[in-house]
Amino acid sequence: MRGIVKRAGTNANEHLEGSRFIAWQLCKLAAGGCRERLSAVQFYRLQVDRPPSEQTRWAKALRWVIRGSRLQPSDRAAKLQSGSPPGAGHAKPGLGTTLACILFCLILLPAIASADLYEEAVRADQEGIPEVSIQKLRTFLSAPGAEHVAEAKLLLAKCLLATNQPAAALQVLDPETLNSIFGRRLNAEALLRSGRWAEAETMWSEIVKDPNIGGDIVEPRLGLAEAQQQLGATHEALQSLSPLIKDQTLSDARPFLMTAELELQLSDFKGAEDLLAKVNHPDRFQAAQKEALSGRLSLVTGDLDAAEKSFRQVLTFESGQGSRVATIARLGLANTYIARKEYEEAESIVEKMIGEQAQTENLPDLFQALYSIYLLEQTPSLADLTRWAQEDPKQVGSDRPVLAQFYLGKLELKIGSHTNGLNLLRQFIADHGSHPLASAAVIALAQQLNADGNFGEAVGIAKQWLAANSDTSSADRAGVQEVLADALVQEKNLSSAFELYTQLSQEATPSQGRFLYNAAVCALRLGNDTLYRQSAEALARLAKTESERAALEFEKAMLEAKNGSAIAEKNLRQFLVDFPEDSHRSRAHLALAEIAFTQSPSDHSRLKSELTQVAADDSVTQEEKARLEFFAAADDANQSIATVSRLVQDFLQKYPHSHFRPEIRIKLGEVYFRQDDYPNAQTQFELVSEEDPDSPLLETALFLAGEAARKSLNSSSMDHAVELFEDVYKINGSLRYRARLEQALTKRQALQDREAIVLLNDLLNQNIPADIRCEAMDAKGDAQFTLGSKDEAEYREAIKTFDSLAALEGVSAVCRQSALYKKAKCYEKIGQWDEALTAYYDVLSIDYGAPGEIWYFRAGFDAAQILESKKSWASAAAIYQKLAATPSSRAEEAKNRLTRLRLEHFLWPE
């Protein structure tokens, strides 16, 4: 079954490991920071809207409200502060016309202009020192009776955005500031840079539709497109940009560059190329952007020489270490080397950039790229990563050491020491629980613990982090909550997992359908039809979820089949009708074939019909189909052993490492066993231990091998059978006690009764099931009875054993009859005829039922023989009469004996 669908990795780029990552990383790095998806609007934001001469003093004061291109200002080296959100960086000057409107409002407020603190804050911001401006504005706003608070808060929010503090900006932007279109723009930008994509999309959508927006529609549409892209709605992002692309009067190159980026992501290479061709008069910075996109286009289309040329050309435009365009170009070069399988050259480029930039907002992207390159190498050296992880934060800042610690832990898990990787991630979470990468560390650690089967620790780590980080971003919390839900599923805590998946599905995210699907699967496994319908109906209301709905119907039908439900076949056939093109179609036919095979009796005609409809479209389906074909042949009495054996050889030749190999071996051994070919059966069973020693079927295989060896009836085979049963006993599985019993029975078979009694005593001293206890006591009594032929005392020991067995609580009537009968035989052997007669009579007193008929008649005939030997003719006749009145095939024999006795001794009733 498909079961719970898990996230691909700790974040959106976790599954893009290796060579696939860096090409994708180029556009992501351009977006600013380590956001999960392309933030093209960040890369293409306007730098200036009008010449500096046209900007008022107030316009210059607010020029940092929107970050423009999000590249580093040439006169400032932005630093990624520990704890700042991924992707945050200082902005490029440039709200232009939009911000001039805000400043126009400020010009009308002389009280603000005359306030010393406010003037100083404006001046500090003009001079490119927003940190000072923030402090002065906070002091100004905290003073009692401060006037024009809304305008001051707008400026403060703008400065907070410029210093990578979008969360703080959101706190400043209260309802009063949001009354203006300008306040809402700041709010939308802060939401965007906080990773609150859905809220940002809503806000930008409202701004785009606002009739008071004025003539500046480019920024809102770029913001809206970015938010949609972050939500995975690439096509919707293109629609948002479409009016700008169609505007013949628009000279702004940013929409064209961003749309080309999106087309590249959708693999529309021709569309991307056409859009880039329309960027005719870019400025120096836009020319670098265009060339970087051209390099990416050449890279993905396989023209590596052209890609290398483009990326090197970008470096002639932007050569500074802190330039994000230069970083993109260098990563492009690294990816070109990767495409040529020159991994060491790619590694050198990225390691050099990291070594030169201890404090830069590019570091998260560079470390992720280096991580991907390391995964591609056979035996990468982690020396640089280890050295960076051990650096003193007081000397180089905290960014590089922290990032190195995180990726070193992940790499150790992947290609190094598993234990060391787990410990490094545990330590990272303990030391940096509030770091932006802490959630990714929790997710990576919890996923690995789940894979290792340590579900309890995974649950504990996730819960602890969530409790300690209640204020972190919803995206980070959702990632940890999902891996927590996955661990709860593994712990069989399906109710809690259902609640978490349902909670996660409340947000309109790209994962909403997956969360609803998982919730529905949990409800299915809980057997709660109400909760299942609730989740399934919510899933059906979502657009573009046909694949999830199909998978859910398939999962439901397969679970019913697994549980033996009578409606499983009907629902599987309905699934084939409702989703005729679904990828699970072949597996549905395979399930129907298995239903036909497992029903009693098997419907071989329907089995063959279903198997013909199983398309061999993937190796897994082919393998399962071949497995079922073998099992059908193995159970067909008309198939020769040679045919069945050949099917096994063909299967194992085609799938030499199949996880079905143990059961295939066991089934072939069973076929040999049924035909009394015990040596070949034993060989097949023992091959399981040689080929698949970790198989869950190992215990069964060894047990059956012991039975086959025991059946061979030669001393060496029986000795080997004892060894095999001992191996099963040591596994300590479900067959442990049965193996010990069979071991003792084999000893008896080899005439080693005293050794058998030792094994049986060991077994009886343990807490064993009642049926095995009954068989063990019976076998012990039999062994003592056998030894009694040489030592009469053993008969008395056997009497004690059989007496204890007969008195055993919960013992079946048949087992009690057998024990009493054998007890009587022991009494006969030592000449205690009256005690034997009493024991036989006790057998006759038990309400035996059909299975105990054999012991009833044996005891009756033997009791009558004792009475005849004592010449107690009337008593013997009474026994025979009792037997004759009992419906049985032996009743006639009892009648004949009764008639003979009456004739010989004149015992006719009066």
Side-chain angles (χ1 to χ4, degrees):
M1 293 188 294
R2 182 186 185 193
I4 299 296
V5 176
K6 299 179 181 177
R7 59 187 285 121
T10 59
N11 54 44
N13 60 16
E14 285 296 315
H15 65 288
L16 293 170
E17 294 178 338
S19 61
R20 293 176 296 164
F21 169 77
I22 297 186
W24 173 85
Q25 185 75 3
L26 297 180
C27 67
K28 187 179 77 62
L29 184 59
C34 55
R35 289 183 176 172
E36 288 190 354
R37 296 181 181 271
L38 168 67
S39 305
V41 67
Q42 294 180 325
F43 190 40
Y44 304 114
R45 288 295 175 82
L46 186 61
Q47 293 182 343
V48 289
D49 280 52
R50 54 181 174 172
S53 60
E54 295 180 24
Q55 297 182 6
T56 66
R57 178 180 62 150
W58 301 104
K60 293 176 182 177
L62 292 181
R63 69 182 186 271
W64 290 82
V65 177
I66 304 293
R67 283 201 300 174
S69 67
R70 302 195 196 247
L71 299 178
Q72 307 295 330
S74 57
D75 58 336
R76 290 176 55 78
K79 296 182 180 180
L80 180 64
Q81 302 297 326
S82 295
S84 59
H90 287 305
K92 198 74 171 170
L95 258 193
T97 304
T98 301
L99 300 179
C101 294
I102 301 177
L103 302 176
F104 177 75
C105 298
L106 299 177
I107 292 173
L108 301 179
L109 302 170
I112 295 180
S114 61
D116 291 341
L117 275 175
Y118 191 78
E119 287 282 2
E120 292 170 5
V122 171
R123 188 182 312 113
D125 186 50
Q126 283 181 306
E127 294 172 357
I129 313 174
E131 294 86 351
V132 172
S133 182
I134 289 171
Q135 295 303 316
K136 291 185 177 294
L137 285 169
R138 290 195 186 281
T139 305
F140 172 77
L141 288 170
S142 65
E147 297 181 354
H148 311 295
V149 171
E151 289 81 356
K153 285 182 176 179
L154 287 173
L155 181 57
L156 176 57
K158 177 268 299 182
C159 292
L160 289 168
L161 283 173
T163 55
N164 313 324
Q165 302 180 67
L170 288 172
Q171 293 177 348
V172 170
L173 293 167
D174 57 17
E176 183 180 1
T177 61
L178 296 180
N179 287 332
S180 69
I181 186 69
F182 315 111
R184 292 200 297 277
R185 284 194 179 193
L186 288 172
N187 191 69
E189 177 69 11
L191 289 169
L192 198 64
R193 288 161 62 175
S194 297
R196 294 163 63 173
W197 320 123
E199 296 171 77
E201 181 194 25
T202 301
M203 181 66 75
W204 282 121
S205 295
E206 293 174 355
I207 293 171
V208 167
K209 297 173 185 176
D210 194 324
N212 299 319
I213 192 173
D216 184 12
I217 192 64
V218 176
E219 290 290 344
R221 285 200 173 274
L222 288 174
L224 175 59
E226 178 181 358
Q228 290 167 329
Q229 174 60 17
Q230 297 287 9
L231 291 169
T234 306
H235 292 284
E236 288 79 355
L238 287 172
Q239 291 173 6
S240 296
L241 293 171
S242 179
L244 302 179
I245 299 300
K246 294 176 181 178
D247 187 349
Q248 299 294 326
T249 65
L250 185 67
S251 59
D252 195 331
R254 293 175 302 154
F256 294 93
L257 291 169
M258 181 178 182
T259 305
E261 184 72 56
L262 297 176
E263 296 288 12
L264 262 178
Q265 187 180 0
L266 293 173
S267 300
D268 183 358
F269 305 136
K270 182 63 169 61
E273 186 177 10
D274 292 343
L275 285 163
L276 289 176
K278 295 179 180 180
V279 182
N280 294 320
H281 302 289
D283 59 25
R284 182 173 177 276
F285 176 69
Q286 291 171 344
Q289 295 174 337
K290 178 181 177 181
E291 197 64 44
L293 286 172
S294 297
R296 282 196 57 221
L297 183 60
S298 298
L299 189 62
V300 297
T301 55
D303 190 347
L304 301 184
D305 291 337
E308 182 177 0
K309 180 180 178 182
S310 291
F311 292 130
R312 292 195 182 281
Q313 184 66 28
V314 171
L315 294 177
T316 65
F317 298 145
E318 296 282 338
S319 57
Q321 290 183 6
S323 167
R324 292 186 69 79
V325 178
T327 299
I328 292 167
R330 290 189 178 95
L331 277 177
L333 281 175
N335 203 36
T336 304
Y337 284 125
I338 288 173
R340 293 170 176 160
K341 300 188 183 306
E342 299 174 1
Y343 302 129
E344 291 186 4
E345 288 76 3
E347 177 187 323
S348 296
I349 289 174
V350 180
E351 285 180 340
K352 185 174 185 294
M353 285 192 287
I354 294 175
E356 292 172 347
Q357 303 179 44
Q359 287 280 84
T360 170
E361 65 175 356
N362 299 337
L363 273 179
D365 307 286
L366 296 175
F367 269 102
Q368 177 64 58
L370 184 61
Y371 170 75
S372 301
I373 294 169
Y374 281 154
L375 291 180
L376 291 169
E377 295 184 272
Q378 294 295 325
T379 54
S381 170
L382 304 183
D384 285 328
L385 203 58
T386 303
R387 175 169 52 81
W388 291 328
Q390 296 171 351
E391 287 180 318
D392 185 354
K394 294 180 180 178
Q395 296 181 3
V396 299
S398 62
D399 298 337
R400 189 163 66 189
V402 170
L403 287 165
Q405 290 166 23
F406 172 74
Y407 283 104
L408 182 60
K410 290 188 64 179
L411 280 165
E412 287 284 13
L413 277 184
K414 291 278 187 180
I415 57 177
S417 165
H418 183 83
T419 302
N420 193 32
L422 291 176
N423 290 334
L424 283 169
L425 288 177
R426 289 188 184 104
Q427 191 62 47
F428 183 91
I429 295 166
D431 294 343
H432 311 289
S434 60
H435 190 276
L437 283 175
S439 63
V442 172
I443 292 169
L445 178 58
Q447 285 179 331
Q448 187 58 58
L449 291 170
N450 278 341
D452 294 343
N454 297 329
F455 312 127
E457 185 181 356
V459 168
I461 286 171
K463 284 185 174 180
Q464 183 178 2
W465 186 86
L466 288 168
N469 294 272
S470 57
D471 296 332
T472 193
S473 73
S474 58
D476 286 346
R477 287 185 63 82
V480 176
Q481 286 172 324
E482 182 177 2
V483 80
L484 170 58
D486 294 342
L488 290 169
V489 170
Q490 297 297 329
E491 272 198 323
K492 309 300 182 186
N493 189 351
L494 297 174
S495 296
S496 297
F498 172 83
E499 291 176 5
L500 259 180
Y501 286 131
T502 302
Q503 176 185 333
L504 288 166
S505 72
Q506 302 306 307
E507 294 290 333
T509 66
S511 303
Q512 189 175 18
R514 184 175 78 247
F515 295 147
L516 285 170
Y517 169 86
N518 286 347
V521 170
C522 288
L524 270 179
R525 295 183 182 177
L526 286 167
N528 191 320
D529 191 57
T530 301
L531 294 180
Y532 169 76
R533 287 200 307 272
Q534 170 187 316
S535 300
E537 289 170 2
L539 181 62
R541 288 193 294 269
L542 289 182
K544 300 179 181 178
T545 57
E546 183 176 358
S547 63
E548 285 87 354
R549 288 187 288 112
L552 187 57
E553 288 300 315
F554 177 74
E555 178 79 9
K556 182 174 183 291
M558 291 295 284
L559 188 61
E560 290 165 344
K562 180 181 179 181
N563 295 333
S565 172
I567 63 172
E569 182 177 354
K570 175 186 174 183
N571 285 340
L572 280 168
R573 296 197 183 282
Q574 188 61 49
F575 165 80
L576 291 169
V577 172
D578 294 342
F579 304 99
E581 304 301 324
D582 188 75
S583 60
H584 295 93
R585 180 180 180 83
S586 290
R587 296 188 60 78
H589 283 296
L590 203 61
L592 287 168
E594 189 148 3
I595 290 173
F597 171 65
T598 55
Q599 71 180 37
S600 185
S602 297
D603 189 339
H604 287 278
S605 174
R606 188 153 54 87
L607 167 65
K608 292 178 181 177
S609 174
E610 294 296 344
L611 286 177
T612 58
Q613 298 182 71
V614 176
D617 51 358
D618 64 86
S619 59
V620 173
T621 304
Q622 290 177 17
E623 184 179 345
E624 292 186 1
K625 180 181 179 182
R627 165 189 170 270
L628 195 53
E629 287 173 337
F630 161 73
F631 272 91
D635 277 359
D636 187 350
N638 296 322
Q639 295 286 351
S640 67
I641 185 66
T643 300
V644 176
S645 179
R646 187 170 60 254
L647 283 173
V648 171
Q649 291 174 3
D650 293 344
F651 181 92
L652 295 178
Q653 185 174 3
K654 192 170 184 179
Y655 310 106
H657 304 293
S658 171
H659 67 280
F660 293 129
R661 181 170 57 186
E663 60 176 306
I664 295 288
R665 291 285 189 199
I666 289 174
K667 188 64 179 179
L668 179 58
E670 178 190 326
V671 174
Y672 280 125
F673 198 97
R674 286 202 310 260
Q675 298 197 6
D676 300 333
D677 187 349
Y678 302 120
N680 275 327
Q682 180 183 337
T683 298
Q684 293 301 317
F685 296 141
E686 290 197 74
L687 278 172
V688 174
S689 65
E690 296 177 15
E691 297 173 340
D692 299 279
D694 297 324
S695 170
L697 294 175
L698 175 65
E699 182 186 32
T700 300
L702 289 175
F703 184 87
L704 293 174
E707 291 291 349
R710 181 181 167 195
K711 287 281 188 179
S712 296
L713 298 178
N714 62 69
S715 58
S716 61
S717 293
M718 284 191 284
D719 288 343
H720 188 49
V722 170
E723 293 172 358
L724 288 167
F725 289 131
E726 182 66 23
D727 290 341
V728 176
Y729 183 78
K730 290 176 179 177
I731 290 175
N732 200 23
S734 60
L735 294 174
R736 170 184 171 87
Y737 300 128
R738 177 63 60 182
R740 179 64 95 205
L741 177 60
E742 293 297 313
Q743 193 177 25
L745 294 177
T746 306
K747 286 287 188 181
R748 287 214 64 227
Q749 189 176 341
L751 305 180
Q752 300 174 17
D753 289 290
R754 293 200 181 279
E755 290 86 342
I757 291 173
V758 171
L759 293 170
L760 291 167
N761 283 335
D762 172 67
L763 182 60
L764 291 168
N765 286 331
Q766 301 181 60
N767 184 19
I768 58 179
D771 60 329
I772 293 181
R773 182 170 294 279
C774 176
E775 292 183 55
M777 293 181 73
D778 186 64
K780 178 181 177 181
D782 287 344
Q784 291 167 330
F785 184 87
T786 300
L787 292 172
S789 62
K790 296 181 179 179
D791 182 359
E792 185 177 300
E794 292 293 341
Y795 286 127
R796 300 187 184 281
E797 292 300 318
I799 288 170
K800 294 177 184 178
T801 300
F802 290 129
D803 209 26
S804 298
L805 175 56
L808 196 64
E809 184 178 355
V811 72
S812 68
V814 174
C815 187
R816 183 173 286 110
Q817 282 183 318
S818 169
L820 291 173
Y821 177 83
K822 293 178 179 180
K823 173 184 172 184
K825 282 296 179 189
C826 292
Y827 278 126
E828 283 189 13
K829 290 292 185 180
I830 59 177
Q832 294 183 341
W833 302 103
D834 291 339
E835 287 81 356
L837 181 62
T838 301
Y840 285 137
Y841 185 79
D842 288 342
V843 175
L844 299 177
S845 301
I846 296 173
D847 184 10
Y848 60 86
E853 179 182 315
I854 183 174
W855 301 111
Y856 182 86
F857 278 91
R858 280 185 180 181
F861 283 124
D862 288 354
Q865 287 294 316
I866 292 175
L867 290 169
E868 286 191 55
S869 68
K870 297 176 70 173
K871 300 182 180 181
S872 298
W873 317 120
S875 297
I879 295 291
Y880 287 134
Q881 187 170 6
K882 185 177 180 68
L883 297 177
T886 302
S888 170
S889 59
R890 299 198 68 185
E892 190 64 29
E893 181 184 354
K895 269 183 196 178
N896 293 335
R897 290 195 182 193
L898 177 59
T899 300
R900 176 187 58 77
L901 197 62
R902 283 173 173 173
L903 287 171
E904 290 177 354
H905 300 287
F906 307 101
L907 297 175
W908 299 105
E910 297 180 359

